[in-house]
Amino acid sequence: MSADCMDHIERFRRYTEDFQDVPDAAPLRLKVEHTFRVFDHARAIAAGLGAEPSSCRFAADAEACRAAELAALYHDCGRFPQFKEYRTFLDAKSVNHAVLSFKTARDEGFLAGEAPRVRALALCAVLLHNRHALPSHLADDARFVTDVVRDADKLDIFRIMVSHLTSALPERDAVLLHVEDAPDRWTPKVADDVLAGRIARYSDLRYVNDFRLLLGTWMHELRFTATKKALVESGLMEQVLSQLPKHELLRPALDKLHAMLDQCRADAEGRN
Ligand SMILES: [Fe+2]
């Protein structure tokens, strides 16, 4: 890791410490941990670019890789002022946290010492990291940086959500957005998203099984081999799929998700 990245890590830590000086800082500490996991994933993706198949390899230069790592570090910096003001991480009940992260990173001057292109690419990725879909006109380098952050972010959100799907942690309801735990039910629209190759929308989720299907639809969007490899090695997707109901009507979606996981495994092992 470069000395400059250490400066950024220190800057991020100092920035978050002020917000954590409150009695109920546990959710903020989890956001700090999430940030460093996303940062580590982003670095692993950048380090593994040589293993990408040539068909989807963007010729990432040093500036683009640096922008991706810094964007991963600052992608959720708006979560801290969001929680301070609204006491929630629910964007629908407060503000779009990616927009707030963009404004915070810009106004705090987190990237002030960086080359203009690094700064622009990193801020763009911070702003777009939670979009349901990315704009079609993004330049290749901006898409690359944004995709690194989105892949890395998904990987860690996946870990967090799966831990809540399988246990009774106190924050379970908040993480799963208060959906209903009806073991045999799911929303047909979300199963249709699986079959149509779409990412499911949070606003369509009604049951815990919908969450499982949503996590499955994220496989539609994963771009990098390092992410697929980490997902396959974690065993978390198998776990999620095994918890879905074995109902005849859900069978096509379940078969599709298993096929997508097999494809992830093949990509991770370089069998294309
Ligand atoms: Fe985020």
Side-chain angles (χ1 to χ4, degrees):
M1 188 188 309
S2 69
D4 284 348
C5 259
M6 289 306 297
D7 287 351
H8 280 285
I9 288 170
E10 271 316 301
R11 184 176 300 169
F12 177 75
R13 278 197 195 283
R14 276 200 309 276
Y15 162 73
T16 62
E17 270 165 15
D18 290 345
F19 291 95
Q20 292 178 69
D21 196 15
V22 291
D24 55 345
L28 295 172
R29 279 196 290 277
L30 292 178
K31 284 295 172 199
V32 174
E33 285 171 22
H34 164 68
T35 291
F36 285 118
R37 284 176 185 273
V38 174
F39 177 68
D40 285 345
H41 287 318
R43 295 185 67 225
I45 292 169
L49 287 175
E52 296 296 333
S54 55
S55 57
C56 63
R57 192 186 305 165
F58 161 71
D61 55 283
E63 282 193 341
C65 287
R66 181 168 179 81
E69 293 179 15
L70 293 176
L73 185 63
Y74 293 122
H75 80 285
D76 267 354
C77 65
R79 287 298 197 186
F80 300 87
Q82 178 189 38
F83 196 78
K84 182 177 181 182
E85 183 162 354
Y86 301 98
R87 316 308 291 175
T88 180
F89 292 132
L90 287 177
D91 287 11
K93 292 189 174 170
S94 55
V95 288
N96 180 330
H97 78 275
V99 174
L100 188 54
S101 295
F102 167 85
K103 288 179 180 166
T104 302
R106 183 194 61 192
D107 297 346
E108 293 276 341
F110 288 151
L111 299 159
E114 296 297 320
R117 179 166 168 258
V118 172
R119 198 161 61 226
L121 287 172
L123 286 174
C124 170
V126 170
L127 182 64
L128 297 179
H129 84 268
N130 70 338
R131 287 273 185 99
H132 184 72
L134 293 181
S136 55
H137 58 270
L138 266 187
D140 283 351
D141 56 357
R143 176 167 285 273
F144 164 78
V145 174
T146 307
D147 280 346
V148 172
V149 177
R150 286 164 70 92
D151 260 39
D153 198 22
K154 280 193 178 69
L155 205 49
D156 195 54
I157 296 173
F158 197 90
R159 177 191 64 81
I160 293 167
M161 284 189 172
V162 171
S163 71
H164 286 84
L165 283 168
T166 53
S167 68
L169 297 175
E171 326 84 67
R172 177 187 158 109
D173 266 8
V175 173
L176 300 183
L177 307 177
H178 310 286
V179 291
E180 196 181 323
D181 197 358
D184 295 323
R185 306 196 74 169
W186 69 91
T187 301
K189 160 107 178 39
V190 183
D192 287 347
D193 289 335
V194 172
L195 295 170
R198 288 187 298 258
I199 308 291
R201 289 183 177 276
Y202 283 105
S203 53
D204 288 330
L205 309 184
R206 293 178 58 203
Y207 306 107
V208 172
N209 285 325
D210 295 339
F211 250 105
R212 299 187 169 106
L213 293 169
L214 164 88
L215 294 174
T217 68
W218 284 359
M219 287 191 287
H220 290 310
E221 203 187 58
L222 296 181
R223 171 169 171 179
F224 298 103
T225 304
T227 319
K228 295 173 187 176
K229 195 164 187 289
L231 180 64
V232 167
E233 286 175 354
S234 73
L236 293 174
M237 186 59 80
E238 274 104 336
Q239 195 180 318
V240 168
L241 299 188
S242 71
Q243 292 161 352
L244 280 164
K246 311 284 180 285
H247 194 289
E248 203 50 40
L249 289 174
L250 195 57
R251 173 58 53 191
L254 200 50
D255 287 348
K256 169 109 180 176
L257 290 170
H258 278 293
M260 288 161 66
L261 182 57
D262 286 345
Q263 186 59 54
C264 273
R265 192 172 290 113
D267 291 349
E269 293 169 2
R271 296 183 279 115
N272 295 299

